[in-house]
Amino acid sequence: MPLPETAHGESSIDRKLVNKLTEEQMARFREHTPTSAEYFDRARKVMPGGVPSSFQLNDPWPVYIDRGRGALVWDVDGSEYVDFHNGFGVMCVGHANPVIGEAVKARHDEGTHFAAPTSGSVVSAENLVERFGLPQWRFSNSGTESTMSAIHLARGATERDLIVKIEGSYDGHHDAVMVSCYPELDELGPRESPNPIPFGHGYPQAVVELTRPVPFNDAEVLEGLLKEYESQVAGLIIEPAMMNINIIPPKDGYLERVRELCTEHGVKLIFDEVKTGATISYGGATQRFGVEPDMICLAKAICGGYPGGAIGMTAELGEIIASDKVHQIGTFNGNPLVMAAAEATLTQVLTPDAYEKLEATNDALKARCQEVIDRYGLPAYAQGLGAKGCVIFSGEPIYEYRDYLTKVDGELSTLAWLYHMNHGIFMTPGVEEEWTLSIAHEQEHIDRYVAAFEAFASDVGGG
Ligand SMILES: Cc1ncc(COP(=O)(O)O)c(C=O)c1O
């Protein structure tokens, strides 16, 4: 489990049964991952927790991966899985994609780094303009760098200090947004004015106080806060559809009202599309929901498996960067190898047709999961957009973090994860994540997912 267990809901499923099945499945998991256990022993001597990033932590140990191809991955024990984790939503292009491989190999032979612009960054920026509508783009090395630059730009453009973010959202690991990511129930404070809670230690309280959380899907609370802090808020950073507490789409009219309020109060609207960007439609959430922000943060799927990000902005904001009033900088920004991968991903692989296929495959998977849920009477529902989906273990729809915290059955979600991992489905560890499909996912892969889910459903639902 990469994060503190935050979903505390308890569904109607008998706890004794959940605990018994969890023990059984955990024993099975240990049995089929002995080499991962050996790697773990070795790795934790040289890496804290045995992993390169804390999001890769997992109970009892992480599954160490050997290789991947198309929709499949193999772990160091040689077990094959269909990959629905897809590198936390990066690998929509499928593993070892030959088009991207060719582009990267060709670029390698012509030199991989100059810290001077190459054509790949120009073509990629042109493509992002076409997809997302915003006219100016810069590149970064990760989602964290993208949201960090966007916040610098919001503050620099407005000469204001406060940032508003959504309670229960994760927007990267720099100080301004490591606030109220996964706060505990007793820390939350009133819903109309939630407490800003640092996500772990290492963030000065003075900095934490500059970020104010608000609940998702509630424009009235946002309006109240913007009035209370009139002329002090630089920017609002928001995932247009929340994707780090399962998937929560925006309610009808919510994003439109958020746009209006930001304009009214002179607040820069930043869409964190690190997860949604290249996955839920050709033009991400911006296109899908038809609301244009002042800035868009991208990373993950846009570079086809290479570490890169991007920040889109209005012409006015672009001028602030061009004039160097706000410094958006980095040795590896627009690295030629990453840009070659981005260009191939954006222009050749994740085409409008690819999004049609991803959506159709996802719709089929969601429908089949829902059918299993209904047949076994599980307290759950299937949710998803574009290439992303999940089963949410709550008997009623969730609309914001406080719902997630109190209604989602975390233990049942963890048990479902174990069933998937023990039935050849590689899934994101943790309660809060979702599946990501790639263009390599076909009917047979969906069948395997549904079979694993049904094994779980029949054991817990008694069917
Ligand atoms: C919505 C969102 N924003 C930002 C980030 C940070 O991206 P990165 O891990 O590339 O720094 C993430 C990572 O999961 C994310 O989900």
Side-chain angles (χ1 to χ4, degrees), residues 142-144 147 170-173 239 244 272 274-275 299-300:
S142 66
T144 293
T147 61
Y170 175 71
D171 299 291
H173 64 276
E239 276 189 282
N244 283 306
D272 178 351
V274 168
K275 276 196 155 175
K300 294 200 191 260

